[in-house]
mmCIF file of all heavy atoms in Angstrom:
data_model
loop_
_atom_site.group_PDB
_atom_site.id
_atom_site.type_symbol
_atom_site.label_atom_id
_atom_site.label_comp_id
_atom_site.label_asym_id
_atom_site.label_seq_id
_atom_site.Cartn_x
_atom_site.Cartn_y
_atom_site.Cartn_z
ATOM 1 N N SER A 137 -8.623 2.316 4.890
ATOM 2 C CA SER A 137 -7.506 3.258 4.971
ATOM 3 C C SER A 137 -7.333 3.718 6.423
ATOM 4 O O SER A 137 -7.185 2.892 7.321
ATOM 5 C CB SER A 137 -7.741 4.421 4.011
ATOM 6 O OG SER A 137 -6.550 5.124 3.765
ATOM 7 N N LEU A 144 -9.291 -0.782 14.109
ATOM 8 C CA LEU A 144 -8.399 -1.655 14.877
ATOM 9 C C LEU A 144 -8.162 -1.100 16.275
ATOM 10 O O LEU A 144 -8.187 -1.849 17.271
ATOM 11 C CB LEU A 144 -7.082 -1.828 14.125
ATOM 12 C CG LEU A 144 -6.001 -2.700 14.777
ATOM 13 C CD1 LEU A 144 -6.546 -4.061 15.173
ATOM 14 C CD2 LEU A 144 -4.817 -2.855 13.833
ATOM 15 N N LEU A 159 -10.773 -4.964 7.972
ATOM 16 C CA LEU A 159 -9.817 -3.894 7.714
ATOM 17 C C LEU A 159 -9.457 -3.881 6.230
ATOM 18 O O LEU A 159 -8.899 -4.849 5.723
ATOM 19 C CB LEU A 159 -8.550 -4.090 8.560
ATOM 20 C CG LEU A 159 -8.762 -4.301 10.067
ATOM 21 C CD1 LEU A 159 -7.426 -4.569 10.757
ATOM 22 C CD2 LEU A 159 -9.458 -3.097 10.686
ATOM 23 N N GLN A 160 -9.797 -2.804 5.563
ATOM 24 C CA GLN A 160 -9.497 -2.659 4.135
ATOM 25 C C GLN A 160 -8.379 -1.646 3.946
ATOM 26 O O GLN A 160 -8.512 -0.490 4.342
ATOM 27 C CB GLN A 160 -10.749 -2.195 3.374
ATOM 28 C CG GLN A 160 -10.485 -1.842 1.919
ATOM 29 C CD GLN A 160 -11.659 -1.126 1.284
ATOM 30 O OE1 GLN A 160 -12.808 -1.306 1.702
ATOM 31 N NE2 GLN A 160 -11.410 -0.316 0.272
ATOM 32 N N SER A 161 -7.271 -2.081 3.351
ATOM 33 C CA SER A 161 -6.153 -1.177 3.055
ATOM 34 C C SER A 161 -5.815 -0.329 4.277
ATOM 35 O O SER A 161 -5.615 0.885 4.175
ATOM 36 C CB SER A 161 -6.494 -0.275 1.868
ATOM 37 O OG SER A 161 -6.956 -1.042 0.770
ATOM 38 N N ALA A 162 -5.738 -0.968 5.424
ATOM 39 C CA ALA A 162 -5.624 -0.233 6.684
ATOM 40 C C ALA A 162 -4.239 0.354 6.894
ATOM 41 O O ALA A 162 -3.223 -0.304 6.670
ATOM 42 C CB ALA A 162 -5.967 -1.154 7.849
ATOM 43 N N SER A 163 -4.210 1.598 7.346
ATOM 44 C CA SER A 163 -2.947 2.218 7.754
ATOM 45 C C SER A 163 -2.595 1.739 9.156
ATOM 46 O O SER A 163 -3.438 1.197 9.875
ATOM 47 C CB SER A 163 -3.054 3.738 7.714
ATOM 48 O OG SER A 163 -4.112 4.198 8.539
ATOM 49 N N GLN A 164 -1.348 1.961 9.557
ATOM 50 C CA GLN A 164 -0.868 1.460 10.851
ATOM 51 C C GLN A 164 -0.578 2.575 11.850
ATOM 52 O O GLN A 164 -0.090 2.304 12.948
ATOM 53 C CB GLN A 164 0.409 0.646 10.663
ATOM 54 C CG GLN A 164 0.253 -0.608 9.848
ATOM 55 C CD GLN A 164 1.579 -1.348 9.719
ATOM 56 O OE1 GLN A 164 2.593 -0.977 10.303
ATOM 57 N NE2 GLN A 164 1.592 -2.401 8.926
ATOM 58 N N GLY A 165 -0.870 3.801 11.473
ATOM 59 C CA GLY A 165 -0.530 4.909 12.363
ATOM 60 C C GLY A 165 0.932 5.293 12.314
ATOM 61 O O GLY A 165 1.393 6.136 13.092
ATOM 62 N N ASP A 166 1.669 4.682 11.385
ATOM 63 C CA ASP A 166 3.088 5.004 11.209
ATOM 64 C C ASP A 166 3.192 6.020 10.074
ATOM 65 O O ASP A 166 3.313 5.673 8.902
ATOM 66 C CB ASP A 166 3.872 3.729 10.879
ATOM 67 C CG ASP A 166 5.384 3.956 10.827
ATOM 68 O OD1 ASP A 166 5.805 5.116 10.632
ATOM 69 O OD2 ASP A 166 6.141 2.975 10.965
ATOM 70 N N ARG A 169 6.335 5.851 7.731
ATOM 71 C CA ARG A 169 6.317 4.735 6.782
ATOM 72 C C ARG A 169 5.368 5.034 5.616
ATOM 73 O O ARG A 169 5.705 4.787 4.454
ATOM 74 C CB ARG A 169 5.894 3.441 7.485
ATOM 75 C CG ARG A 169 5.832 2.245 6.547
ATOM 76 C CD ARG A 169 5.525 0.947 7.278
ATOM 77 N NE ARG A 169 5.521 -0.190 6.366
ATOM 78 C CZ ARG A 169 5.421 -1.455 6.747
ATOM 79 N NH1 ARG A 169 5.314 -1.755 8.035
ATOM 80 N NH2 ARG A 169 5.422 -2.446 5.853
ATOM 81 N N SER A 170 4.189 5.570 5.928
ATOM 82 C CA SER A 170 3.224 5.894 4.883
ATOM 83 C C SER A 170 3.770 6.945 3.923
ATOM 84 O O SER A 170 3.615 6.833 2.696
ATOM 85 C CB SER A 170 1.912 6.391 5.509
ATOM 86 O OG SER A 170 1.282 5.367 6.248
ATOM 87 N N GLN A 171 4.418 7.956 4.468
ATOM 88 C CA GLN A 171 4.941 9.031 3.614
ATOM 89 C C GLN A 171 6.066 8.526 2.716
ATOM 90 O O GLN A 171 6.124 8.879 1.529
ATOM 91 C CB GLN A 171 5.401 10.199 4.490
ATOM 92 C CG GLN A 171 4.226 10.937 5.122
ATOM 93 C CD GLN A 171 4.648 12.017 6.093
ATOM 94 O OE1 GLN A 171 5.816 12.116 6.489
ATOM 95 N NE2 GLN A 171 3.701 12.846 6.503
ATOM 96 N N THR A 173 6.429 5.452 1.680
ATOM 97 C CA THR A 173 5.786 4.571 0.701
ATOM 98 C C THR A 173 5.209 5.387 -0.452
ATOM 99 O O THR A 173 5.374 5.033 -1.634
ATOM 100 C CB THR A 173 4.663 3.751 1.366
ATOM 101 O OG1 THR A 173 5.237 2.894 2.359
ATOM 102 C CG2 THR A 173 3.903 2.915 0.351
ATOM 103 N N GLN A 174 4.546 6.477 -0.133
ATOM 104 C CA GLN A 174 3.916 7.296 -1.165
ATOM 105 C C GLN A 174 4.950 8.026 -2.024
ATOM 106 O O GLN A 174 4.801 8.098 -3.252
ATOM 107 C CB GLN A 174 2.940 8.278 -0.518
ATOM 108 C CG GLN A 174 1.720 7.586 0.060
ATOM 109 C CD GLN A 174 0.852 8.497 0.903
ATOM 110 O OE1 GLN A 174 0.965 9.726 0.859
ATOM 111 N NE2 GLN A 174 -0.032 7.901 1.692
ATOM 112 N N LEU A 259 0.999 0.454 16.764
ATOM 113 C CA LEU A 259 -0.244 -0.275 16.547
ATOM 114 C C LEU A 259 0.058 -1.693 16.067
ATOM 115 O O LEU A 259 -0.631 -2.649 16.454
ATOM 116 C CB LEU A 259 -1.111 0.458 15.518
ATOM 117 C CG LEU A 259 -2.460 -0.173 15.191
ATOM 118 C CD1 LEU A 259 -3.301 -0.369 16.441
ATOM 119 C CD2 LEU A 259 -3.219 0.688 14.174
ATOM 120 N N LEU A 260 1.084 -1.841 15.259
ATOM 121 C CA LEU A 260 1.470 -3.163 14.770
ATOM 122 C C LEU A 260 1.822 -4.090 15.936
ATOM 123 O O LEU A 260 1.419 -5.264 15.970
ATOM 124 C CB LEU A 260 2.645 -3.046 13.810
ATOM 125 C CG LEU A 260 3.104 -4.335 13.124
ATOM 126 C CD1 LEU A 260 1.983 -4.930 12.284
ATOM 127 C CD2 LEU A 260 4.335 -4.067 12.264
ATOM 128 N N GLU A 261 2.547 -3.565 16.917
ATOM 129 C CA GLU A 261 2.925 -4.364 18.075
ATOM 130 C C GLU A 261 1.709 -4.683 18.933
ATOM 131 O O GLU A 261 1.538 -5.822 19.395
ATOM 132 C CB GLU A 261 3.980 -3.615 18.896
ATOM 133 C CG GLU A 261 4.522 -4.398 20.076
ATOM 134 C CD GLU A 261 5.594 -3.644 20.847
ATOM 135 O OE1 GLU A 261 5.975 -2.529 20.414
ATOM 136 O OE2 GLU A 261 6.040 -4.163 21.887
ATOM 137 N N ALA A 263 -1.333 -4.893 17.982
ATOM 138 C CA ALA A 263 -2.281 -5.750 17.260
ATOM 139 C C ALA A 263 -2.083 -7.222 17.588
ATOM 140 O O ALA A 263 -2.998 -8.034 17.412
ATOM 141 C CB ALA A 263 -2.137 -5.523 15.749
ATOM 142 N N LEU A 272 -8.605 -9.002 6.570
ATOM 143 C CA LEU A 272 -7.802 -7.908 6.010
ATOM 144 C C LEU A 272 -7.847 -8.007 4.493
ATOM 145 O O LEU A 272 -7.652 -9.093 3.916
ATOM 146 C CB LEU A 272 -6.354 -7.980 6.490
ATOM 147 C CG LEU A 272 -6.171 -7.747 7.993
ATOM 148 C CD1 LEU A 272 -5.924 -9.069 8.692
ATOM 149 C CD2 LEU A 272 -5.035 -6.772 8.265
ATOM 150 N N MET A 273 -8.112 -6.873 3.837
ATOM 151 C CA MET A 273 -8.203 -6.823 2.384
ATOM 152 C C MET A 273 -7.299 -5.718 1.853
ATOM 153 O O MET A 273 -7.197 -4.645 2.457
ATOM 154 C CB MET A 273 -9.647 -6.559 1.946
ATOM 155 C CG MET A 273 -10.637 -7.608 2.408
ATOM 156 S SD MET A 273 -12.327 -7.288 1.826
ATOM 157 C CE MET A 273 -12.789 -5.900 2.876
ATOM 158 N N VAL A 274 -6.657 -5.985 0.718
ATOM 159 C CA VAL A 274 -5.804 -4.973 0.105
ATOM 160 C C VAL A 274 -5.690 -5.265 -1.390
ATOM 161 O O VAL A 274 -5.728 -6.426 -1.813
ATOM 162 C CB VAL A 274 -4.402 -4.959 0.766
ATOM 163 C CG1 VAL A 274 -3.650 -6.259 0.502
ATOM 164 C CG2 VAL A 274 -3.588 -3.759 0.305
ATOM 165 N N GLY A 275 -5.573 -4.203 -2.179
ATOM 166 C CA GLY A 275 -5.350 -4.359 -3.606
ATOM 167 C C GLY A 275 -3.881 -4.611 -3.896
ATOM 168 O O GLY A 275 -3.002 -4.028 -3.254
ATOM 169 N N ASP A 278 -1.995 -1.430 -4.475
ATOM 170 C CA ASP A 278 -2.163 -0.362 -3.481
ATOM 171 C C ASP A 278 -0.808 0.282 -3.219
ATOM 172 O O ASP A 278 0.045 -0.285 -2.539
ATOM 173 C CB ASP A 278 -2.742 -0.921 -2.185
ATOM 174 C CG ASP A 278 -3.118 0.168 -1.188
ATOM 175 O OD1 ASP A 278 -2.516 1.263 -1.256
ATOM 176 O OD2 ASP A 278 -3.997 -0.065 -0.355
ATOM 177 N N ARG A 279 -0.612 1.465 -3.772
ATOM 178 C CA ARG A 279 0.640 2.203 -3.571
ATOM 179 C C ARG A 279 0.506 3.261 -2.482
ATOM 180 O O ARG A 279 1.464 3.945 -2.151
ATOM 181 C CB ARG A 279 1.073 2.872 -4.888
ATOM 182 C CG ARG A 279 1.304 1.893 -6.030
ATOM 183 C CD ARG A 279 1.726 2.635 -7.298
ATOM 184 N NE ARG A 279 2.038 1.728 -8.376
ATOM 185 C CZ ARG A 279 1.185 1.345 -9.330
ATOM 186 N NH1 ARG A 279 -0.062 1.797 -9.303
ATOM 187 N NH2 ARG A 279 1.559 0.525 -10.288
ATOM 188 N N ASN A 280 -0.693 3.410 -1.959
ATOM 189 C CA ASN A 280 -0.953 4.436 -0.957
ATOM 190 C C ASN A 280 -0.530 3.976 0.436
ATOM 191 O O ASN A 280 0.201 4.672 1.145
ATOM 192 C CB ASN A 280 -2.444 4.798 -0.959
ATOM 193 C CG ASN A 280 -2.763 5.982 -0.083
ATOM 194 O OD1 ASN A 280 -2.145 7.034 -0.195
ATOM 195 N ND2 ASN A 280 -3.727 5.820 0.803
ATOM 196 N N VAL A 281 -0.993 2.788 0.834
ATOM 197 C CA VAL A 281 -0.593 2.178 2.104
ATOM 198 C C VAL A 281 0.479 1.126 1.858
ATOM 199 O O VAL A 281 1.454 1.022 2.597
ATOM 200 C CB VAL A 281 -1.815 1.560 2.819
ATOM 201 C CG1 VAL A 281 -1.384 0.651 3.960
ATOM 202 C CG2 VAL A 281 -2.730 2.655 3.339
ATOM 203 N N GLY A 282 0.283 0.365 0.801
ATOM 204 C CA GLY A 282 1.255 -0.663 0.451
ATOM 205 C C GLY A 282 0.822 -2.051 0.900
ATOM 206 O O GLY A 282 0.322 -2.217 2.017
ATOM 207 N N VAL A 283 0.999 -3.029 0.025
ATOM 208 C CA VAL A 283 0.615 -4.401 0.339
ATOM 209 C C VAL A 283 1.407 -4.926 1.531
ATOM 210 O O VAL A 283 0.872 -5.631 2.392
ATOM 211 C CB VAL A 283 0.829 -5.313 -0.892
ATOM 212 C CG1 VAL A 283 0.452 -6.752 -0.564
ATOM 213 C CG2 VAL A 283 0.000 -4.811 -2.071
ATOM 214 N N ASP A 284 2.671 -4.589 1.615
ATOM 215 C CA ASP A 284 3.510 -5.100 2.699
ATOM 216 C C ASP A 284 2.996 -4.665 4.071
ATOM 217 O O ASP A 284 3.045 -5.440 5.033
ATOM 218 C CB ASP A 284 4.957 -4.633 2.532
ATOM 219 C CG ASP A 284 5.670 -5.359 1.402
ATOM 220 O OD1 ASP A 284 5.135 -6.394 0.942
ATOM 221 O OD2 ASP A 284 6.747 -4.900 0.980
ATOM 222 N N ALA A 285 2.516 -3.431 4.161
ATOM 223 C CA ALA A 285 2.011 -2.930 5.444
ATOM 224 C C ALA A 285 0.804 -3.745 5.903
ATOM 225 O O ALA A 285 0.656 -4.059 7.092
ATOM 226 C CB ALA A 285 1.642 -1.457 5.328
ATOM 227 N N VAL A 286 -0.073 -4.103 4.961
ATOM 228 C CA VAL A 286 -1.262 -4.890 5.311
ATOM 229 C C VAL A 286 -0.867 -6.326 5.630
ATOM 230 O O VAL A 286 -1.417 -6.945 6.539
ATOM 231 C CB VAL A 286 -2.303 -4.827 4.177
ATOM 232 C CG1 VAL A 286 -3.527 -5.675 4.519
ATOM 233 C CG2 VAL A 286 -2.725 -3.376 3.925
ATOM 234 N N ARG A 287 0.105 -6.858 4.903
ATOM 235 C CA ARG A 287 0.614 -8.207 5.217
ATOM 236 C C ARG A 287 1.183 -8.246 6.638
ATOM 237 O O ARG A 287 0.990 -9.223 7.370
ATOM 238 C CB ARG A 287 1.711 -8.599 4.222
ATOM 239 C CG ARG A 287 1.218 -9.143 2.907
ATOM 240 C CD ARG A 287 2.305 -9.987 2.256
ATOM 241 N NE ARG A 287 1.970 -10.339 0.890
ATOM 242 C CZ ARG A 287 2.486 -9.750 -0.192
ATOM 243 N NH1 ARG A 287 3.358 -8.773 -0.052
ATOM 244 N NH2 ARG A 287 2.137 -10.140 -1.407
ATOM 245 N N ASP A 288 1.881 -7.199 7.001
ATOM 246 C CA ASP A 288 2.451 -7.139 8.350
ATOM 247 C C ASP A 288 1.359 -7.180 9.411
ATOM 248 O O ASP A 288 1.489 -7.867 10.436
ATOM 249 C CB ASP A 288 3.295 -5.868 8.525
ATOM 250 C CG ASP A 288 4.594 -5.913 7.722
ATOM 251 O OD1 ASP A 288 4.953 -7.010 7.247
ATOM 252 O OD2 ASP A 288 5.230 -4.850 7.568
ATOM 253 N N LEU A 289 0.282 -6.435 9.174
ATOM 254 C CA LEU A 289 -0.841 -6.458 10.113
ATOM 255 C C LEU A 289 -1.459 -7.845 10.195
ATOM 256 O O LEU A 289 -1.775 -8.342 11.277
ATOM 257 C CB LEU A 289 -1.912 -5.447 9.690
ATOM 258 C CG LEU A 289 -1.830 -4.037 10.249
ATOM 259 C CD1 LEU A 289 -2.978 -3.193 9.708
ATOM 260 C CD2 LEU A 289 -1.848 -4.038 11.766
ATOM 261 N N SER A 290 -1.620 -8.481 9.033
ATOM 262 C CA SER A 290 -2.203 -9.814 9.004
ATOM 263 C C SER A 290 -1.343 -10.809 9.782
ATOM 264 O O SER A 290 -1.859 -11.663 10.500
ATOM 265 C CB SER A 290 -2.367 -10.287 7.556
ATOM 266 O OG SER A 290 -2.944 -11.562 7.498
ATOM 267 N N SER A 291 -0.038 -10.674 9.669
ATOM 268 C CA SER A 291 0.872 -11.555 10.407
ATOM 269 C C SER A 291 0.781 -11.323 11.906
ATOM 270 O O SER A 291 0.964 -12.250 12.702
ATOM 271 C CB SER A 291 2.312 -11.332 9.935
ATOM 272 O OG SER A 291 2.458 -11.679 8.565
ATOM 273 N N ALA A 292 0.493 -10.080 12.292
ATOM 274 C CA ALA A 292 0.440 -9.747 13.721
ATOM 275 C C ALA A 292 -0.835 -10.248 14.385
ATOM 276 O O ALA A 292 -0.818 -10.627 15.562
ATOM 277 C CB ALA A 292 0.566 -8.235 13.905
ATOM 278 N N VAL A 293 -1.948 -10.245 13.642
ATOM 279 C CA VAL A 293 -3.238 -10.643 14.215
ATOM 280 C C VAL A 293 -3.376 -12.162 14.136
ATOM 281 O O VAL A 293 -3.311 -12.743 13.050
ATOM 282 C CB VAL A 293 -4.403 -9.954 13.472
ATOM 283 C CG1 VAL A 293 -5.744 -10.418 14.035
ATOM 284 C CG2 VAL A 293 -4.283 -8.435 13.583
ATOM 285 N N LEU A 298 -6.255 -12.919 5.162
ATOM 286 C CA LEU A 298 -5.797 -11.887 4.237
ATOM 287 C C LEU A 298 -6.286 -12.200 2.828
ATOM 288 O O LEU A 298 -6.064 -13.312 2.328
ATOM 289 C CB LEU A 298 -4.268 -11.796 4.252
ATOM 290 C CG LEU A 298 -3.628 -10.854 3.213
ATOM 291 C CD1 LEU A 298 -4.037 -9.410 3.459
ATOM 292 C CD2 LEU A 298 -2.112 -10.993 3.232
ATOM 293 N N ILE A 300 -6.045 -10.636 -1.047
ATOM 294 C CA ILE A 300 -5.421 -9.665 -1.946
ATOM 295 C C ILE A 300 -6.224 -9.620 -3.241
ATOM 296 O O ILE A 300 -6.457 -10.653 -3.878
ATOM 297 C CB ILE A 300 -3.954 -10.035 -2.227
ATOM 298 C CG1 ILE A 300 -3.146 -9.992 -0.927
ATOM 299 C CG2 ILE A 300 -3.344 -9.090 -3.255
ATOM 300 C CD1 ILE A 300 -1.698 -10.419 -1.072
ATOM 301 N N HIS A 306 -5.990 0.994 -4.040
ATOM 302 C CA HIS A 306 -6.353 1.286 -2.651
ATOM 303 C C HIS A 306 -7.829 1.039 -2.354
ATOM 304 O O HIS A 306 -8.215 0.932 -1.196
ATOM 305 C CB HIS A 306 -6.007 2.750 -2.353
ATOM 306 C CG HIS A 306 -5.999 3.110 -0.905
ATOM 307 N ND1 HIS A 306 -5.248 2.443 0.037
ATOM 308 C CD2 HIS A 306 -6.658 4.098 -0.222
ATOM 309 C CE1 HIS A 306 -5.440 2.987 1.231
ATOM 310 N NE2 HIS A 306 -6.298 3.980 1.097
#
Side-chain angles (χ1 to χ4, degrees):
S137 197
L144 179 52
L159 308 177
Q160 172 192 333
S161 309
S163 57
Q164 296 180 5
D166 186 338
R169 179 175 182 173
S170 295
Q171 289 175 348
T173 296
Q174 291 170 16
L259 181 56
L260 184 61
E261 184 178 356
L272 294 103
M273 300 182 287
V274 66
D278 188 334
R279 300 180 176 94
N280 188 52
V281 167
V283 179
D284 287 346
V286 178
R287 278 203 190 103
D288 289 347
L289 269 180
S290 181
S291 297
V293 178
L298 174 64
I300 297 177
H306 194 55

